[in-house]
Amino acid sequence: AVSSPTVADAGGFAQFALSLSNPASTATTVSLALADGTASSADYGPALEVSSDGGATWTNASSATFAAGATSLLVRTPITSDALDETDETFTLTATRTAGTTANASAVGTATITDDDATPSLSIGNVSVNESAGTMTFTVTLSAASGQNVTVNSATSNGSATAGSDYSAASGTLT
């Protein structure tokens, strides 16, 4: 089996636990492969590291071997931190048996990278214009870039100016 870890988007590692339901009678080797889900390879990897001692030491590897009598291994891959507000993202680790005996030929774990970046805020710049100047343009700005589409509804409203006599009412959607 391969666990399905959850890790913050702040960097560090996504750590998967590989396990056998029964101790291996002989060495059992699995190949390891990462694959995109909603996350891309820019968000994780590409390196894989394996530990057979509970995480005390790590070795770069593209395969892992359960020694005879062993039932668990750890595999980790680095997570790349970014500053974009985005939805949680996923990727998978597949362990495929290449030597030894297991009940299933492969197992898959899905890692979830949780977003830890602040949601950007909107601001609208103030403007003033002479009534005879014509068009007034308001600038709407995000406080930071977003990894998601940002859509807001907009509408004019009366203040000291009145729709119909001082300005033409307007509304719409900004993306």
Side-chain angles (χ1 to χ4, degrees):
V2 178
S3 69
S4 293
T6 298
V7 62
D9 181 30
F13 292 89
Q15 183 172 296
F16 297 85
L18 277 63
S19 60
L20 299 175
S21 56
N22 295 302
S25 59
T26 61
T28 300
T29 301
V30 293
S31 65
L32 303 169
L34 295 169
D36 293 353
T38 54
S40 73
S41 59
D43 298 309
Y44 65 88
L48 284 169
E49 297 177 338
V50 175
S51 176
S52 60
D53 60 8
T57 58
W58 295 92
T59 304
N60 289 332
S62 59
S63 65
T65 300
F66 291 89
T71 59
S72 64
L73 294 169
L74 297 175
V75 176
R76 71 182 186 180
T77 189
I79 300 300
T80 305
S81 180
D82 65 32
L84 290 177
D85 174 50
E86 55 199 348
T87 59
D88 292 350
E89 300 173 298
T90 61
F91 66 95
T92 60
L93 172 70
T94 302
T96 304
R97 181 188 68 237
T98 58
T101 304
T102 58
N104 52 331
S106 66
V108 178
T110 301
T112 301
I113 304 170
T114 57
D115 184 56
D116 62 353
D117 302 303
T119 301
S121 60
L122 286 172
S123 63
I124 303 171
N126 292 328
V127 268
S128 61
V129 66
N130 182 308
E131 283 186 9
S132 62
T135 303
M136 181 179 282
T137 302
F138 290 88
T139 301
V140 179
T141 307
L142 277 177
S143 61
S146 179
Q148 304 181 63
N149 288 332
V150 177
T151 303
V152 295
N153 293 323
S154 64
T156 57
S157 64
N158 293 340
S160 60
T162 305
S165 61
D166 296 316
Y167 69 93
S168 298
S171 63
T173 302
L174 304 173
T175 301

